[in-house]
Amino acid sequence: MAKKAPRRTAERILETTLELFNRFGEPNVSTTLISAELSISPGNLYYHYPAKEELVTALFNRYEQALHELLGAAPGVHDVEDAWFFMHTLFELVWEYRFLYRDLNHLLSNNRRLETHIKDALLHKTTAFRTVLDSLAYEGALQITVSEREATATHMVVMLTWWLSYEYVRDPRHALEPESAEKSLLRGAKHVLSLVLPFAVAEHKGHLGALLMAY
């Protein structure tokens, strides 16, 4: 059996950096800690990523690409089951890159490149949520006006973007640990989708309510 090719050092660095950022928070992780965790020299790390900011940017680029692909599925949401799956998948991505959400204000103040990209990500999320609401309304699952749609899409983005910060404030010692992932994701998806419940028509409101109650 052919041996698998070893992962490139640059790939290993990013994977380890993401794990450390998620666990301890980006401000608390130094390049020295990253190189020690990988058992490589600081010089080897700097060869691939000359500054910590470049590690942040590389990870954000990965997140941004995954987010773009996921949000592109918004037009395929036709019922409340689709909406639940879409939201849960989105929260899984948030959890995978949770340091971006927990440390967002700090990152923006230290990485000027992220400013425009974060704004673009917020706009893309808002557009995707409007698309979901439009699709559900078209399919007869929602009765929602244009102004209600705009406000609800914005509320959904705000809750999605700052949900993990809320979880962290509630329980700083455990909220962002891996063992808390499932409950945190389900709570977040449930509360974001709850914003849609007041606009659901009777038949779909019961179904959506049952989905929310189950979690």
Side-chain angles (χ1 to χ4, degrees), residues 9 12-14 16-17 33-40 45:
T9 301
R12 291 177 55 232
I13 291 172
L14 281 185
T16 299
T17 299
L33 176 59
I34 295 169
S35 58
E37 186 74 13
L38 286 159
S39 299
I40 63 175
L45 175 63

Side-chain angles (χ1 to χ4, degrees), residues 99-112:
F99 84 93
L100 289 171
Y101 290 83
R102 184 176 71 175
D103 304 322
L104 183 57
N105 291 344
H106 171 82
L107 291 169
L108 288 175
S109 66
N110 287 276
N111 190 320
R112 305 294 293 183

Side-chain angles (χ1 to χ4, degrees), residues 115-199:
E115 284 190 24
T116 300
H117 289 266
I118 288 291
K119 290 178 182 177
D120 288 344
L122 290 175
L123 179 61
H124 196 179
K125 290 176 188 175
T126 304
T127 301
F129 284 141
R130 283 201 304 261
T131 299
V132 168
L133 295 174
D134 282 346
S135 180
L136 291 175
Y138 178 81
E139 297 293 338
L142 302 182
Q143 288 184 339
I144 186 168
T145 65
V146 172
S147 61
E148 289 169 338
R149 180 201 64 174
E150 295 295 326
T152 302
T154 299
H155 295 161
M156 293 171 79
V157 171
V158 171
M159 188 173 288
L160 171 73
T161 303
W162 278 277
W163 178 258
L164 288 186
S165 294
Y166 170 74
E167 289 277 292
Y168 183 69
V169 171
R170 286 180 64 248
D171 188 5
R173 293 182 180 274
H174 305 103
L176 301 185
E177 293 299 316
E179 59 269 19
S180 302
E182 184 175 5
K183 290 183 179 179
S184 179
L185 292 174
L186 290 174
R187 280 194 297 266
K190 174 181 178 177
H191 283 284
V192 174
L193 276 181
S194 293
L195 295 170
V196 177
L197 192 60
F199 307 104

Side-chain angles (χ1 to χ4, degrees), residues 84-97:
W84 173 254
F85 179 77
F86 178 78
M87 194 61 61
H88 196 286
T89 305
L90 190 51
F91 266 94
E92 286 179 345
L93 180 63
V94 169
W95 182 266
E96 184 180 357
Y97 291 90

Side-chain angles (χ1 to χ4, degrees), residues 35-53:
S35 58
E37 186 74 13
L38 286 159
S39 299
I40 63 175
S41 68
N44 196 353
L45 175 63
Y46 296 146
Y47 173 79
H48 294 283
Y49 299 99
K52 183 180 173 182
E53 183 176 327

